[in-house]
Protein backbone atom coordinates (compact mmCIF):
# COMPACT_ATOMS: atom_id res chain seq x y z
CA UNK A 1 0.00 0.00 0.00
CA UNK A 2 1.46 3.36 -0.94
CA UNK A 3 1.83 6.20 1.53
CA UNK A 4 -1.01 8.67 1.72
CA UNK A 5 0.56 11.21 4.09
CA UNK A 6 3.97 12.85 4.30
CA UNK A 7 6.20 11.32 7.00
CA UNK A 8 7.79 14.77 7.57
CA UNK A 9 4.80 17.14 7.87
CA UNK A 10 1.71 14.89 7.80
CA UNK A 11 0.26 16.61 4.73
CA UNK A 12 -1.67 14.71 2.08
CA UNK A 13 0.49 13.30 -0.72
CA UNK A 14 -0.33 13.60 -4.42
CA UNK A 15 1.06 11.73 -7.46
CA UNK A 16 4.56 12.94 -8.36
CA UNK A 17 4.73 14.57 -11.78
CA UNK A 18 7.95 15.65 -13.55
CA UNK A 19 7.73 17.66 -16.78
CA UNK A 20 4.11 16.51 -17.24
CA UNK A 21 4.87 12.81 -16.69
CA UNK A 22 3.46 10.96 -13.64
CA UNK A 23 6.22 9.08 -11.81
CA UNK A 24 6.04 6.03 -9.56
CA UNK A 25 6.17 7.84 -6.20
CA UNK A 26 4.26 10.42 -4.19
CA UNK A 27 4.87 14.16 -3.70
CA UNK A 28 4.28 16.40 -0.69
CA UNK A 29 3.04 19.82 -1.87
CA UNK A 30 3.61 21.31 1.61
CA UNK A 31 7.28 20.24 1.80
CA UNK A 32 7.89 20.52 -1.94
CA UNK A 33 9.62 17.11 -1.92
CA UNK A 34 9.01 13.67 -3.44
CA UNK A 35 8.25 10.96 -0.88
CA UNK A 36 8.82 7.22 -1.02
CA UNK A 37 8.51 4.52 1.64
CA UNK A 38 11.83 2.89 0.83
CA UNK A 39 15.08 4.66 -0.04
CA UNK A 40 14.95 6.24 -3.47
CA UNK A 41 17.73 5.43 -5.93
CA UNK A 42 19.38 8.42 -7.56
CA UNK A 43 21.38 7.83 -10.76
CA UNK A 44 23.81 10.37 -12.18
CA UNK A 45 26.25 10.75 -15.05
CA UNK A 46 29.68 12.35 -14.87
CA UNK A 47 30.12 13.12 -18.57
CA UNK A 48 33.48 14.48 -19.68
CA UNK A 49 34.57 16.36 -22.76
CA UNK A 50 38.31 16.80 -22.49
CA UNK A 51 38.99 17.98 -18.92
CA UNK A 52 35.49 19.42 -18.49
CA UNK A 53 32.42 17.90 -16.85
CA UNK A 54 28.82 18.34 -17.98
CA UNK A 55 26.55 20.31 -15.64
CA UNK A 56 22.87 21.27 -15.81
CA UNK A 57 21.16 24.34 -14.44
CA UNK A 58 18.04 23.00 -12.76
CA UNK A 59 14.63 24.20 -13.98
CA UNK A 60 12.63 22.42 -11.29
CA UNK A 61 12.52 22.65 -7.51
CA UNK A 62 14.25 21.89 -5.33
CA UNK A 63 17.20 24.16 -6.11
CA UNK A 64 15.79 25.58 -9.36
CA UNK A 65 18.28 27.89 -11.09
CA UNK A 66 21.32 26.23 -9.53
CA UNK A 67 23.87 23.92 -11.20
CA UNK A 68 24.14 20.14 -10.69
CA UNK A 69 25.59 17.03 -12.28
CA UNK A 70 22.89 15.45 -14.53
CA UNK A 71 20.82 12.85 -12.72
CA UNK A 72 17.56 11.92 -11.09
CA UNK A 73 15.49 9.09 -9.69
CA UNK A 74 15.56 5.57 -11.09
CA UNK A 75 12.19 4.51 -12.48
CA UNK A 76 10.59 1.08 -12.18
CA UNK A 77 11.74 -1.45 -14.77
CA UNK A 78 15.07 0.30 -15.50
CA UNK A 79 18.57 -0.93 -14.88
CA UNK A 80 20.84 1.55 -13.11
CA UNK A 81 22.66 2.42 -16.34
CA UNK A 82 19.39 2.73 -18.29
CA UNK A 83 18.04 5.18 -15.71
CA UNK A 84 21.24 7.23 -15.75
CA UNK A 85 21.23 7.35 -19.57
CA UNK A 86 17.53 8.37 -19.56
CA UNK A 87 18.12 11.17 -17.04
CA UNK A 88 21.12 12.35 -19.07
CA UNK A 89 19.02 12.43 -22.27
CA UNK A 90 16.05 14.14 -20.59
CA UNK A 91 18.14 16.86 -18.97
CA UNK A 92 20.88 17.49 -21.55
CA UNK A 93 19.89 15.95 -24.90
CA UNK A 94 23.11 13.87 -24.76
CA UNK A 95 22.49 10.33 -26.03
CA UNK A 96 24.73 7.61 -24.63
CA UNK A 97 24.09 3.89 -24.86
CA UNK A 98 23.70 2.62 -21.28
CA UNK A 99 26.31 -0.07 -22.02
CA UNK A 100 28.90 2.69 -22.54
CA UNK A 101 28.41 4.00 -19.00
CA UNK A 102 31.04 2.88 -16.50
CA UNK A 103 30.24 2.51 -12.82
CA UNK A 104 31.97 5.35 -11.00
CA UNK A 105 30.47 6.21 -7.59
CA UNK A 106 28.04 4.63 -5.17
CA UNK A 107 26.79 5.89 -1.88
CA UNK A 108 24.19 6.15 0.81
CA UNK A 109 22.73 9.47 1.84
CA UNK A 110 20.87 8.46 4.98
CA UNK A 111 19.66 11.90 5.99
CA UNK A 112 17.60 12.22 2.78
CA UNK A 113 16.76 8.48 2.42
CA UNK A 114 18.61 7.98 -0.88
CA UNK A 115 20.95 5.51 -2.50
CA UNK A 116 23.25 7.06 -5.06
CA UNK A 117 24.83 5.42 -8.13
CA UNK A 118 26.99 7.47 -10.49
CA UNK A 119 28.35 6.52 -13.88
CA UNK A 120 30.96 8.12 -16.10
CA UNK A 121 31.59 8.39 -19.83
CA UNK A 122 33.29 10.68 -22.32
CA UNK A 123 31.87 12.41 -25.37
CA UNK A 124 33.58 13.87 -28.43
CA UNK A 125 31.16 16.76 -28.85
CA UNK A 126 30.04 19.60 -26.57
CA UNK A 127 26.52 19.47 -28.08
CA UNK A 128 23.74 19.72 -25.50
CA UNK A 129 20.05 20.48 -25.69
CA UNK A 130 18.45 21.39 -22.35
CA UNK A 131 15.27 19.43 -21.68
CA UNK A 132 12.15 20.41 -19.72
CA UNK A 133 13.98 19.82 -16.41
CA UNK A 134 16.96 22.07 -17.29
CA UNK A 135 17.37 25.79 -17.89
CA UNK A 136 20.84 25.28 -19.39
CA UNK A 137 23.65 22.75 -19.71
CA UNK A 138 27.35 23.34 -20.14
CA UNK A 139 30.73 21.69 -19.81
CA UNK A 140 32.94 23.30 -17.16
CA UNK A 141 36.54 22.76 -16.15
CA UNK A 142 37.18 22.81 -12.41
CA UNK A 143 38.27 26.47 -12.67
CA UNK A 144 35.20 27.43 -14.74
CA UNK A 145 32.69 25.63 -12.51
CA UNK A 146 30.11 27.97 -10.92
CA UNK A 147 30.91 26.72 -7.39
CA UNK A 148 28.89 29.51 -5.71
CA UNK A 149 25.78 28.43 -7.62
CA UNK A 150 25.98 24.66 -7.07
CA UNK A 151 22.64 23.10 -6.09
CA UNK A 152 24.07 20.47 -3.75
CA UNK A 153 27.31 21.74 -2.17
CA UNK A 154 27.11 18.93 0.38
CA UNK A 155 28.38 16.56 -2.36
CA UNK A 156 31.10 18.86 -3.70
CA UNK A 157 33.74 16.41 -2.41
CA UNK A 158 32.49 13.82 -4.90
CA UNK A 159 32.50 16.37 -7.74
CA UNK A 160 36.00 17.54 -6.78
CA UNK A 161 37.11 13.89 -6.87
CA UNK A 162 35.66 13.55 -10.37
CA UNK A 163 37.70 16.58 -11.49
CA UNK A 164 40.87 15.13 -9.88
CA UNK A 165 40.30 11.80 -11.64
CA UNK A 166 39.60 13.55 -14.93
CA UNK A 167 42.77 15.64 -14.65
CA UNK A 168 44.94 12.62 -13.69
CA UNK A 169 43.33 10.22 -16.17
CA UNK A 170 43.10 7.56 -13.41
CA UNK A 171 39.62 6.45 -12.45
CA UNK A 172 38.66 4.28 -9.53
CA UNK A 173 35.23 3.29 -8.30
CA UNK A 174 34.32 5.36 -5.22
CA UNK A 175 31.91 4.78 -2.36
CA UNK A 176 30.42 7.60 -0.28
CA UNK A 177 28.57 7.49 3.01
CA UNK A 178 26.80 10.64 4.05
CA UNK A 179 24.82 10.91 7.26
CA UNK A 180 23.66 13.97 9.14
CA UNK A 181 26.96 13.87 11.08
CA UNK A 182 29.56 12.35 8.79
CA UNK A 183 30.76 12.25 5.18
CA UNK A 184 33.31 9.83 3.75
CA UNK A 185 34.43 9.09 0.20
CA UNK A 186 36.75 6.12 -0.23
CA UNK A 187 37.94 4.08 -3.20
CA UNK A 188 36.38 0.65 -3.59
CA UNK A 189 38.98 -2.05 -3.73
CA UNK A 190 38.61 -4.02 -6.95
CA UNK A 191 40.63 -7.12 -7.73
Amino acid sequence: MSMQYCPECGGALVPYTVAGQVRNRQFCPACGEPRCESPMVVVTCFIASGKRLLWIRRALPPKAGLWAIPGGYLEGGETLAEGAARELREETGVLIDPQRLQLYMTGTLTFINQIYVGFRATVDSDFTLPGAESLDCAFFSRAECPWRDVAYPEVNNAVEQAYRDLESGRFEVWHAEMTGKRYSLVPVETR
Side-chain angles (χ1 to χ4, degrees):
M1 181 168 147
S2 98
M3 293 189 304
Q4 296 179 6
Y5 300 97
C6 177
E8 296 296 318
C9 74
L13 297 173
V14 298
Y16 185 51
T17 303
V18 175
Q21 184 178 20
V22 176
R23 302 296 174 121
N24 190 22
R25 69 183 73 73
Q26 301 289 69
F27 183 80
C28 177
C31 294
E33 296 285 334
R35 298 291 182 219
C36 187
E37 291 179 33
S38 57
M40 294 188 290
V41 178
V42 174
V43 288
T44 63
C45 286
F46 290 85
I47 303 301
S49 175
K51 301 291 184 198
R52 298 174 302 140
L53 289 175
L54 180 58
W55 288 77
I56 63 151
R57 199 163 128 231
R58 296 177 57 82
L60 304 174
K63 314 281 184 156
L66 298 177
W67 291 90
I69 296 295
Y73 295 115
L74 184 70
E75 296 293 333
E78 293 178 319
T79 67
L80 294 167
E82 288 169 347
R86 175 190 49 77
E87 284 290 339
L88 179 67
R89 182 187 70 250
E90 288 176 357
E91 293 181 345
T92 70
V94 174
L95 302 173
I96 292 185
D97 184 321
Q99 293 182 353
R100 279 193 51 218
L101 295 175
Q102 295 177 307
L103 180 63
Y104 185 51
M105 290 188 181
T106 65
T108 53
L109 299 100
T110 61
F111 66 99
I112 53 175
N113 199 28
Q114 292 180 353
I115 297 167
Y116 168 85
V117 181
F119 293 88
R120 68 178 186 85
T122 59
V123 292
D124 297 326
S125 167
D126 289 357
F127 173 80
T128 61
L129 181 64
E133 299 176 32
S134 307
L135 297 172
D136 195 7
C137 359
F139 285 88
F140 296 116
S141 69
R142 187 194 316 227
E144 297 165 334
C145 185
W147 293 108
R148 287 189 207 131
D149 296 322
V150 169
Y152 302 103
E154 53 274 6
V155 297
N156 277 359
N157 287 347
V159 177
E160 288 275 4
Q161 185 62 56
Y163 276 116
R164 283 192 294 276
D165 290 348
L166 189 59
E167 291 162 1
S168 74
R170 293 189 60 224
F171 296 91
E172 299 188 51
V173 175
W174 296 91
H175 179 72
E177 287 189 5
M178 189 182 304
T179 68
K181 299 177 183 178
R182 177 176 69 82
Y183 177 83
S184 69
L185 181 67
V186 296
V188 175
E189 294 201 25
T190 56
R191 297 183 200 266

